[in-house]
Structures are given as structure tokens and as C-alpha cells.
Amino acid sequence: MKLTFLGSGSAFTVGTSNFHSNILLINELNNKLLIDCGSDIRFSLYKAGYSYVDITDIYISHLHSDHAGGLEYIGLSTQFDTRCEKPNLYLSKDIAATLWSNYLSGAMSIIEGDLADINTFFCIKSIDSDRSFLWQQIKFNLVKVMHVDGKYLVMPSYGLFFNTGQNQVFITTDTKFCSNWSEDYYKHATLIFQDCEISTKKTPVHAHYDELVTLPDHIKIKMWLYGYQPGPLPSAKKDGFNGFVECGQTFEL
């Protein structure tokens, strides 16, 4: 099994040297799970040698455009291409409840000759309170993370923890620095892919490199950093990390 970062950049990555940090997981039978589907997915897929035709299963962690903005492209493209079946869409029930009404319906609810809903384009696999789903005999556990706290409402956002048989993999997706709640996942994972901000003007919604560097060495040595802004990168290996993920980098799991 291999995991390819179609991009490793933040929401505001610019140009074609990097893309949103969407991930393609491919098993030994060439089945593919797209982990998040940002608005530049049509470019990042093409650069990696794929297209929407290859996308049959999608997991969405939360509803920011660099994680869900490409669903319109995938949904419309597969709907009107006779080679394609409707993609399976895995997402937490609280995200599923608002994905169509608050996010996709404005552009996708009217198609030629008919009205559409989310089931027109996707097979929804909403995830109940056990917060796990099965894909190709692998159990994916959703990890509730703290990303954006609006004081009155908290944006639902979920990372993933799964076991490939060779590795226990933790993908944080977008999250604040919360070493306390994530301690168990950090401890049990053998491979960690950590959202990492590097900007000089720190935001309150992402883990910043200056915070992550304070983690114990036995955690950092398992950790790859992604989701970073354009610009010079800190010396991650010198500071004890595996390094920063590059656009297109593939990991054997």
C-alpha cells in the first residue's frame, strides 16, 4: 500500500509547484481512496498522472475549500461521464448534514432537465457515533480535532488513524496544536503526518512549527510535516522530525 501527497501546501498555496494537501491512498489491488478533495484537485490529480475517472472513494475531513472545494468538479465530471460510477463519499454525520445545503447546492442543485441533490452525484457513507468506516478491509478511525472554534460553534473536523498491518498511521488533517488530546494517537502511531504552519504571522487554527518543535524527540522522529505555506522551510530534520512532505511524495505503508 502506498500513500501519495498530491500536494503538501496550505489553503493559500499559489502556483503549480505545490497544491492543497490532499492525499491518495492506493492499495495492492490499485483501489484508491482520496483523503480530502480541495479546489485544485483537477490540477494535482493530472500532475500525478490521474484524473477524476480514477476517483471512486473520497473521505472529507471538514468543509474548508482546500479539503472539500473539489467535490463540485468530481461530482459533475463523474455524473456526466459514462465510464464512471458515483463515487463513495465518507464523512462524519455532522459534516454530511451540512455539506449539501451549506456548501454544494448553490452550484449543483439544478442540472439540465432536472433538480439534483447530493445523492445524484455521490453515494453517501455517513459515519455514525462509532466514528469509523471500513475501506478495502482497513478500519479508519475518525479523530475529532480542534480546528476552528467560533466561540458559539466549533467547526466539525476529523483526522484519521488506521492500521495497514505494517504501520499505525495518524493523519491529523487541519488542527490546532493540542498535544494533550493527541498524546495517545502520537504514542501509538508509528507514522504521523502532521498539519504544520510556518508563517511568521501565526494563526490560531493550525499547529505552528514553533509549537511542534517542543514535542518530545520520540514523537518528532515519527512525524512528517505538511500543510505549510510557501516560503523557506525550517530545518525539520535538524530539529528531530522526519522532514517536510514534498508535493508528489509517496510513502510505502
Side-chain angles (χ1 to χ4, degrees):
M1 178 173 291
K2 64 181 182 179
L3 185 150
T4 297
F5 278 78
L6 300 175
S8 56
S10 71
F12 305 110
T13 294
V14 294
T16 57
S17 60
N18 205 352
F19 299 103
H20 295 150
S21 51
N22 306 152
I23 303 167
L24 197 59
L25 184 63
I26 307 174
N27 71 3
E28 294 80 1
L29 299 176
N30 208 33
N31 300 118
K32 300 174 183 69
L33 173 66
L34 179 63
I35 300 173
D36 281 332
C37 182
S39 54
D40 64 11
I41 194 68
R42 62 194 188 280
F43 302 117
S44 60
L45 275 175
Y46 180 80
K47 185 174 181 180
Y50 303 104
S51 79
Y52 64 84
V53 176
D54 298 294
I55 303 305
T56 57
D57 297 89
I58 306 169
Y59 168 76
I60 297 297
S61 65
H62 66 287
L63 293 183
H64 277 151
S65 65
D66 55 322
H67 295 263
L71 288 175
E72 179 184 340
Y73 165 73
I74 296 292
L76 288 169
S77 297
T78 54
Q79 173 69 18
F80 296 107
D81 190 325
T82 57
R83 296 173 295 173
C84 301
E85 301 288 337
K86 288 191 289 187
N88 296 313
L89 187 58
Y90 301 85
L91 66 176
S92 178
K93 186 171 281 190
D94 49 358
I95 296 174
T98 57
L99 174 62
W100 180 256
S101 60
N102 292 3
Y103 202 81
L104 296 177
S105 63
M108 301 176 72
S109 60
I110 301 173
I111 56 177
E112 182 65 24
D114 203 358
L115 297 178
D117 61 26
I118 196 166
N119 299 296
T120 305
F121 304 99
F122 302 102
C123 293
I124 301 299
K125 309 288 185 180
S126 61
I127 300 162
D128 288 321
S129 56
D130 69 340
R131 291 184 181 169
S132 68
F133 67 93
L134 199 66
W135 177 80
Q136 298 298 319
Q137 308 307 311
I138 298 176
K139 183 178 182 181
F140 291 81
N141 295 289
L142 274 66
V143 180
K144 191 169 188 177
V145 297
M146 180 62 72
H147 183 26
V148 181
D149 184 352
K151 188 177 181 180
Y152 300 102
L153 291 172
V154 176
M155 169 176 273
S157 187
Y158 298 88
L160 288 177
F161 191 95
F162 58 100
N163 186 350
T164 67
Q166 300 294 323
N167 282 286
Q168 302 256 29
V169 182
F170 180 29
I171 302 174
T172 66
T173 67
D174 287 3
T175 178
K176 298 181 179 185
F177 181 68
C178 304
S179 59
N180 290 336
W181 65 255
S182 57
E183 184 175 356
D184 283 346
Y185 298 104
Y186 284 160
K187 176 182 177 182
H188 291 105
T190 58
L191 190 57
I192 303 165
F193 296 100
Q194 171 71 54
D195 171 39
C196 176
E197 182 178 78
I198 62 168
S199 59
T200 54
K201 184 177 181 180
K202 299 178 183 179
T203 72
V205 299
H206 292 279
H208 195 277
Y209 187 86
D210 291 346
E211 297 170 313
L212 294 169
V213 79
T214 67
L215 290 169
D217 289 343
H218 69 275
I219 299 297
K220 290 189 291 185
I221 195 63
K222 300 187 287 185
M223 188 175 283
W224 285 89
L225 307 174
Y226 76 100
Y228 49 87
Q229 291 80 12
L233 298 176
S235 301
K237 289 187 177 181
K238 182 180 177 181
D239 288 331
F241 300 99
N242 273 316
F244 282 93
V245 177
E246 298 179 0
C247 178
Q249 188 167 352
T250 294
F251 298 84
E252 295 291 339
L253 304 180

